[in-house]
């Protein structure tokens, strides 16, 4: 299979090269932050069947002891991401942190518990109204609701025309969310209704500052990862933290690839990058 130390991709842009160089030079001051679905876990038709790529946990366990911290930043409930990722009780991941619900929940491997803020009341209201709402606008067939605890998501992947169903629901769901003080976060053929004021960018910046990192790698695949990309771009433009942006590439979403320093071939490519990075670090 060759030497993995030679497979670490080199960013074509100065900011990306600077970010990678900072991670390699002082890994003890680096945060490795990753989305879950589409980045560590392949996208599947049923999100409840999503599981981390087989190589993800070994790669993270190899990398984590060599850096300041590894954090999974996800829209899923933190406990669900831990179960689906298989992160609990893994040697090497003793200090892993999962920031769930865009940072509203936090699980850490040290305590093995989830800490969470109070839920937004609008989520319960939308949860109760959504089935009848979809039926009334004729959008029930081919769509389905995912319960996410602090958010509710509507998927269109099973519809006859998934993209048309997705496009048709953005406006109506936006109005529904607004009535209950929520926002709509679009993703890969999914529209998530969730509270405002929290996103992956806010969660990432807060965590980077909390641990005193000098560099950060962030990997994502979806529109919900754009705030984290923006946050890293802002950190490195301010000169506070150097950063490397990685896109877990897919034909469904191209916005991240256009802004990434490195584009991989889906979760398998992310795993290969993490393994190569671990191999390069002392």
């Amino acid at each position: 299979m060759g030497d993995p130390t030679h497979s670490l991709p080199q960013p074509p842009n100065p900011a990306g090269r600077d970010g990678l160089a900072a991670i390699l030079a002082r890994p003890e001051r680096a945060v490795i932050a990753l989305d879950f679905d589409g980045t560590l876990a392949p996208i599947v038709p049923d999100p409840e069947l999503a599981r981390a790529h087989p190589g993800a946990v070994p790669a993270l366990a190899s990398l984590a002891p060599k850096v300041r911290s590894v954090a999974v930043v996800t829209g899923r409930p933190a406990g669900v991401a831990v179960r689906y990722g298989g992160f609990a009780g893994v040697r090497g991941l003793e200090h892993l942190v999962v920031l769930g619900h865009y940072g509203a929940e936090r699980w850490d491997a040290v305590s093995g518990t989830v800490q969470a803020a109070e839920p937004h009341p609008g989520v319960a209201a939308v949860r109760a109204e959504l089935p009848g709402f979809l039926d009334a606008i004729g959008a029930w067939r081919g769509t389905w609701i995912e319960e996410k605890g602090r958010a509710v998501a509507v998927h269109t992947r099973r519809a006859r025309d998934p993209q048309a169903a997705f496009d048709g629901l953005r406006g109506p769901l936006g109005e529904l969310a607004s009535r209950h003080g929520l926002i709509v976060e679009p993703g890969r053929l999914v529209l998530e209704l969730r509270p405002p004021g929290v996103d992956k960018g806010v969660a990432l910046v807060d965590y980077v500052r909390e641990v005193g990192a000098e560099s950060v790698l962030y990997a994502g695949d979806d529109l919900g990862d754009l705030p984290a990309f923006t946050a890293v771009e802002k950190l490195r433009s301010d000169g506070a933290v150097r950063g490397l942006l990685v896109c877990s590439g897919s034909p469904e979403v191209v916005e991240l690839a256009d802004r990434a320093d490195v584009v991989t071939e889906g979760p398998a490519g992310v795993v290969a990058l993490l393994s190569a990075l671990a191999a390069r670090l002392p």
Side-chain angles (χ1 to χ4, degrees):
M1 297 178 61
D3 185 350
T5 62
H6 297 304
S7 62
L8 189 62
Q10 295 301 309
N13 56 317
R17 289 195 297 271
D18 194 38
L20 178 59
I23 294 169
L24 293 174
R26 298 191 68 183
E28 72 280 3
R29 304 291 288 184
V31 165
I32 308 300
L34 311 115
D35 169 47
F36 186 72
D37 291 280
T39 302
L40 290 177
I43 294 293
V44 293
D46 185 349
E48 293 185 0
L49 300 179
R51 296 295 183 270
H53 184 282
V57 168
L60 290 174
S62 177
L63 179 60
K66 303 180 179 183
V67 298
R68 183 74 160 196
S69 179
V70 171
V72 175
V73 188
T74 175
R76 285 188 182 272
V80 171
V82 172
R83 293 197 304 273
Y84 290 3
F87 300 135
V90 176
R91 184 176 182 180
L93 296 183
E94 291 87 356
H95 297 283
L96 175 75
V97 169
V98 176
L99 304 176
H101 279 308
Y102 307 93
E105 292 185 353
R106 176 168 174 162
W107 176 92
D108 68 85
V110 174
S111 68
T113 60
V114 174
Q115 298 177 351
E118 288 296 319
H120 191 291
V123 175
V126 163
R127 182 182 298 118
E129 186 175 344
L130 195 52
F133 178 85
L134 291 174
D135 190 44
I137 65 173
W140 186 256
R141 186 180 299 275
T143 63
W144 61 282
I145 300 170
E146 180 188 4
E147 171 55 54
K148 303 186 75 172
R150 294 172 181 270
V152 183
V154 178
H155 293 259
T156 66
R157 190 173 293 276
R158 298 174 183 169
R160 178 173 298 177
D161 187 336
Q163 189 61 50
F166 176 89
D167 294 338
L169 279 172
R170 291 190 71 163
L173 288 181
E175 295 174 3
L176 174 65
S178 180
R179 289 205 306 270
H180 295 287
L182 305 178
I183 62 170
V184 172
E185 181 74 49
R188 292 169 67 173
L189 300 177
V190 59
L191 295 157
E192 183 175 299
L193 291 77
R194 63 175 177 84
V198 292
D199 60 41
K200 292 182 180 180
V202 173
L204 180 62
V205 170
D206 286 348
Y207 186 70
V208 165
R209 290 173 174 165
E210 174 189 330
V211 301
E214 296 177 354
S215 61
V216 57
L217 178 155
Y218 184 82
D221 76 303
D222 206 347
L223 298 176
D225 296 301
L226 286 174
F229 269 45
T230 299
V232 172
E233 290 166 347
K234 179 70 162 54
L235 285 171
R236 62 190 187 184
S237 68
D238 291 345
V241 175
R242 288 183 281 182
L244 178 65
L245 293 170
V246 177
C247 172
S248 175
S250 83
E252 291 182 344
V253 178
V254 298
E255 288 87 346
L256 264 71
D258 293 339
R259 291 171 60 176
D261 304 315
V262 172
V263 180
T264 73
E265 294 186 8
V270 172
V271 168
L273 185 152
L274 296 174
S275 299
L277 181 59
R280 281 283 297 271
L281 297 179

